[in-house]
């Protein structure tokens, strides 16, 4: 066997290992379109809760954070060892990269509870959507929360038409639709645009074939939420 063939076999072997680790004891069945597969995770692989219960857990966690009554769940050395073997997050977060909005803290969650994607402007890029599809389809998260926040610098820069270098412009381009939709809404322009942007990103996620199938089968819900930097409170955006 030559070196090229050996490398090919090793690559395929590694791929199989990844697939086995991601799927665990789940069963693959045809379900999304003609070329995609839907994962039906084994009950033992994740918390047996509904999408509504998962969302309620996030809301209650934030309420504890605001009331300064955090429980700091699942943050023990025992939990660290437990999730090192496998992860079973119950919720996914598409949040802004802003350093002032750490999801696990403001939602009072711990190791292995949240599958988090963070990017400036909490935008649903192809890479973010793919990651969240994985989180819901393979890992079994029951809710995706798009979490924007007050005084978002990315939204503010988009409103002002800032001229930016490098790839920063791609972030602003993804926010423009939300800014456009909020133009005629009375009140604070930045807050209105931020909330409109959250809803745009929710729409993008719901347009995913993978995620929409999970929603249709009552395995997932996708919501928008707004974080107040001053109070720490999260409110739902509709």
């Amino acid at each position: 066997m030559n070196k090229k063939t050996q490398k090919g076999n090793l690559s395929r072997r590694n791929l199989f290992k990844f697939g086995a680790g991601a799927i665990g004891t789940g069963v693959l069945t045809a379900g999304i379109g003609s070329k995609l597969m839907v994962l039906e995770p084994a009950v033992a692989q994740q918390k047996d809760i509904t999408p509504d219960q998962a969302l309620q857990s996030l809301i209650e966690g934030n309420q504890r954070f605001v009331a300064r009554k955090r429980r700091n769940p699942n943050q023990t050395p025992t939990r660290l060892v437990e999730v090192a073997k496998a992860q079973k997050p119950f919720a996914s977060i598409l949040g802004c990269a802003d350093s002032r909005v750490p999801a696990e803290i403001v939602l009072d969650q711990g190791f292995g509870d949240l599958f988090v994607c963070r990017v400036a402007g909490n935008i649903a890029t192809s890479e973010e959507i793919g990651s969240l599809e994985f989180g819901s389809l393979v890992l079994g998260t029951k809710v995706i929360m798009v979490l924007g926040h007050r005084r978002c610098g990315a939204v503010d820069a988009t409103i002002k038409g800032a001229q930016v270098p490098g790839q920063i412009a791609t972030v602003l381009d993804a926010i423009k639709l939300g800014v456009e939709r909020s133009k005629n809404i009375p009140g604070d322009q930045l807050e209105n645009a931020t909330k409109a942007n959250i809803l745009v990103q929710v729409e993008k996620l719901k347009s995913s074939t993978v995620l929409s199938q999970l929603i249709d089968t009552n395995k997932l819900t996708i919501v928008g939420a707004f974080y107040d930097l001053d109070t720490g409170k999260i409110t739902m955006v509709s």
Side-chain angles (χ1 to χ4, degrees):
M1 184 181 294
N2 59 42
K3 292 183 178 180
K4 184 175 182 180
T5 302
Q6 288 178 328
K7 288 181 179 179
N9 289 338
L10 286 173
S11 296
R12 286 191 291 273
R13 195 175 301 129
N14 289 335
L15 178 61
F16 291 143
K17 286 181 180 179
F18 170 77
I23 295 170
T25 59
V27 178
L28 287 174
T29 57
I32 301 178
S34 60
K35 296 182 179 180
L36 293 176
M37 304 294 284
V38 179
L39 178 70
E40 298 289 353
V43 174
Q45 285 272 311
Q46 64 182 45
K47 293 181 179 179
D48 187 20
I49 60 175
T50 67
D52 287 343
Q53 289 171 330
L55 175 58
Q56 185 60 31
S57 182
L58 294 180
I59 292 172
E60 291 175 356
N62 179 248
Q63 290 173 342
R64 294 194 299 271
F65 173 74
V66 173
R68 299 183 182 180
K69 295 181 179 180
R70 289 172 59 203
R71 296 176 184 169
N72 302 311
N74 294 329
Q75 296 180 24
T76 64
T78 300
R79 177 66 170 179
L80 179 65
V81 173
E82 177 187 350
V83 296
K85 300 173 184 177
Q87 59 172 320
K88 300 173 279 190
F90 73 90
S92 294
I93 309 295
L94 174 56
C96 183
D98 194 292
S99 62
R100 299 167 291 181
V101 196
E104 284 84 358
I105 294 177
V106 303
L107 292 165
D108 194 24
Q109 303 298 327
F111 292 119
D113 291 332
L114 305 181
F115 186 78
V116 181
C117 296
R118 295 181 66 179
V119 58
N122 42 271
I123 55 175
T125 65
S126 296
E127 293 79 8
E128 303 294 332
I129 295 173
S131 296
L132 293 166
E133 287 175 343
F134 178 84
S136 298
L137 183 66
V138 179
L139 300 181
T141 62
K142 301 301 182 67
V143 57
I144 297 176
M145 175 181 283
V146 179
L147 184 59
H149 65 92
R150 188 180 298 280
R151 295 190 294 277
C152 179
V155 177
D156 190 37
T158 305
I159 292 173
K160 295 175 180 177
Q163 299 302 304
V164 294
Q167 296 298 310
I168 303 174
T170 63
V171 176
L172 306 191
D173 287 343
I175 298 173
K176 285 181 179 179
L177 180 56
V179 170
E180 185 64 28
R181 288 185 180 181
S182 68
K183 279 186 176 180
N184 297 320
I185 300 176
D188 186 280
Q189 183 182 18
L190 178 53
E191 183 169 329
N192 290 338
T194 299
K195 291 180 177 179
N197 175 57
I198 292 169
L199 294 177
V200 166
Q201 308 313 321
V202 169
E203 288 177 11
K204 287 183 180 179
L205 291 175
K206 288 183 176 181
S207 70
S208 156
T209 306
V210 174
L211 299 178
S212 64
Q213 175 70 21
L214 292 172
I215 293 172
D216 291 342
T217 53
N218 299 315
K219 296 177 182 177
L220 177 71
T221 188
I222 302 177
V223 299
F226 180 81
Y227 177 78
D228 190 326
L229 292 173
D230 300 313
T231 66
K233 184 177 181 179
I234 290 174
T235 54
M236 306 309 295
V237 177
S238 59

